[in-house]
Amino acid sequence: MTDLTLNTSNAPAAGLPVPGAAVYPGLDDWRSLPIAQQPTWSESPSFAPTVKELSVLPPLVFAGEVDVLRSRLAQASQGQAFLLQGGDCAETFEAATADKISSRVKTILQMAVVLTYGAQLPVIKMGRMAGQFAKPRSSNDETRDGVTLPAYRGDIVNGFEFTPESRQHDPARMLKAYHTSASTLNLIRAFTQGGFADLRSVHEWNRGFTSNPAHSRYEALAKEIDSAIKFMASCGADFEALKTVEFFASHEALLLDYERALTRIDSRTGLPYDTSAHFLWIGERTRDLDQAHVDFLSRVRNPIGVKLGPTTTGDDALRLIEKLDPNREPGRLTFITRMGAKNIREKLPSLVEKVTASGAQVLWVTDPMHGNTVTSPNGYKTRNFDDVIDEVRGFFEVHQAQGTIPGGLHVEMTGDDVAECLGGADPIDQEAFLTGYESVCDPRLNHKQSLEMAFLVSEGLRQSK
Ligand code: PEP
Ligand code: MN
């Protein structure tokens, strides 16, 4: 458990809300609960001033947008839309460049078009972007060649470089995370509101990516969409609505110092919203019912996700529903299952059955990445594309058998041509990792693997209709 006691003269006493932050009953109850996976930085002189500054900076997202997302997710939970959530395992400050952000947005738009066209369903587009900077770790330390230093916990906490200075937990990094999120969101908003995401640019999004099987398949689909649009245009259809696209930001709400400081009271409703992102999720390692993360997120109005791994029991799921969605509000709660290809067909049915029998309506999403992590013979953290696909297939099979709704896909992906996951139609082998592995945390699908995945999921969706 992290010690939140502060000794510096300008720091608030432990357990008290930080001056300037939104005040609302219960918002600080998490401070007296056990909390996992937090940095040890409360002694740092820059901690209190940083939190104070964060708590008066403008919100990154707006309560009205968050409400729109909740209603979209409600549609997805009823099978009237599908959620596509994708991005890096861990964003870094260094990689927040225009090129990398636009490649990722383009890839998500391409995947969304494939899914929309295949499944004939609206796709809710959401990035693990503009705030995905904090990482839970299995160990507090990392040892290399006999030297032990604090583990990398994401750019919002410390640096990836293996030196004592870089690995020190530094609260001032929260401000850099805020500003990097703001500039990332600014670019995303420009892309998606300024015409770049217009469906009539469906060919443009494919430009600049190297040719491969998924790429050609996309090109063929884009041609079909193009002719459908031309046909509709000659019939006099009005395409103004295609110019702008909704795109939502999400991240794991791991670092409660940051999330609490960005929580604001909505002037319309008087209720607290965590304005660091539209959607926040609780990770598999911090979803303990009696601990800080579940308590804090139960008190904000944002739609909330919870990752559920293979040890989750039906009772765990029911208790999470009771705590996070006591009013059974459509769109409020998403369960992101990450069971592993080997487990999904065995473990998911009883969870789905129990939740469905309770009458609760959650959105079921598959994360086919986190239950399928392995180490390659040459020592890289990786995932086999076939295992990832197998978990997605299992997810569709289970929901089909239960008559429930497979409502979304959560993936770690990038628009770049990296080599981090094995396999795919244009296969990546472990030798490619030596030059193409860039992730500072978990392995991501590259651009072509992401597109290939979208085609496979769109087939699954068509069948499940
Ligand atoms: C993640 O999404 O990067 C992550 C750590 O997931 P999980 O909580 O499912 O392990
Ligand atoms: Mn990850």
Side-chain angles (χ1 to χ4, degrees), residues 114-178:
V114 169
L115 290 168
T116 311
Y117 198 71
Q120 311 276 295
L121 271 179
V123 171
I124 305 161
K125 294 166 266 303
M126 191 189 283
R128 274 178 73 114
M129 288 176 81
Q132 178 52 23
F133 291 114
K135 297 311 300 173
R137 302 317 301 247
S138 46
S139 169
N140 281 334
D141 301 313
E142 183 184 347
T143 301
R144 289 190 201 173
D145 303 326
V147 180
T148 301
L149 292 176
Y152 173 64
R153 290 191 168 272
D155 274 14
I156 195 168
V157 175
N158 56 2
F160 184 64
E161 202 194 337
F162 194 72
T163 62
E165 301 72 38
S166 147
R167 288 295 171 94
Q168 169 127 13
H169 296 177
D170 175 7
R173 283 178 168 266
M174 287 193 282
L175 283 170
K176 178 108 188 213
Y178 169 89

Side-chain angles (χ1 to χ4, degrees), residues 217-383:
R217 199 168 164 194
Y218 177 85
E219 206 47 51
L221 180 138
K223 267 196 197 117
E224 275 184 49
I225 293 175
D226 236 10
S227 36
I229 289 178
K230 286 197 182 111
F231 169 72
M232 293 299 289
S234 23
C235 299
D238 177 5
F239 287 117
E240 269 316 287
L242 294 182
K243 272 205 176 134
T244 63
V245 159
E246 285 176 352
F247 197 104
F248 300 98
S250 70
H251 62 257
E252 176 174 352
L254 184 68
L255 211 59
L256 294 192
D257 291 325
Y258 181 80
E259 303 303 336
R260 172 65 182 94
L262 281 172
T263 298
R264 303 281 181 271
I265 303 301
D266 173 26
S267 56
R268 306 162 311 161
T269 58
L271 296 171
Y273 285 69
D274 182 344
T275 65
S276 71
H278 300 103
F279 179 94
L280 297 151
W281 77 85
I282 305 173
E284 163 73 359
R285 292 178 180 84
T286 52
R287 62 172 170 76
D288 194 304
L289 210 69
D290 305 314
Q291 297 200 4
H293 290 85
V294 171
D295 186 88
F296 178 69
L297 287 162
S298 74
R299 297 172 194 279
V300 294
R301 283 289 291 143
N302 307 59
I304 302 300
V306 186
K307 294 276 205 93
L308 301 180
T311 59
T312 317
T313 65
D315 283 339
D316 292 339
L318 294 188
R319 282 196 287 260
L320 283 164
I321 294 170
E322 202 46 50
K323 175 86 182 167
L324 292 167
D325 183 23
N327 301 321
R328 306 291 190 270
E329 199 181 352
R332 160 70 176 173
L333 185 59
T334 297
F335 279 154
I336 307 168
T337 59
R338 29 88 86 223
M339 302 281 166
K342 286 191 193 76
N343 297 319
I344 183 142
R345 292 169 181 85
E346 184 197 334
K347 307 272 182 188
L348 185 59
S350 60
L351 274 191
V352 173
E353 215 168 291
K354 206 141 189 190
V355 169
T356 309
S358 80
Q361 192 180 45
V362 302
L363 170 61
W364 293 101
V365 168
T366 177
D367 163 0
M369 314 297 294
H370 288 88
N372 296 306
T373 313
V374 291
T375 304
S376 66
N378 64 351
Y380 286 82
K381 200 178 189 187
T382 188
R383 289 156 178 156

Side-chain angles (χ1 to χ4, degrees), residues 42-53:
S42 57
E43 308 278 316
S44 162
S46 58
F47 177 77
T50 298
V51 171
K52 192 169 170 187
E53 186 173 343

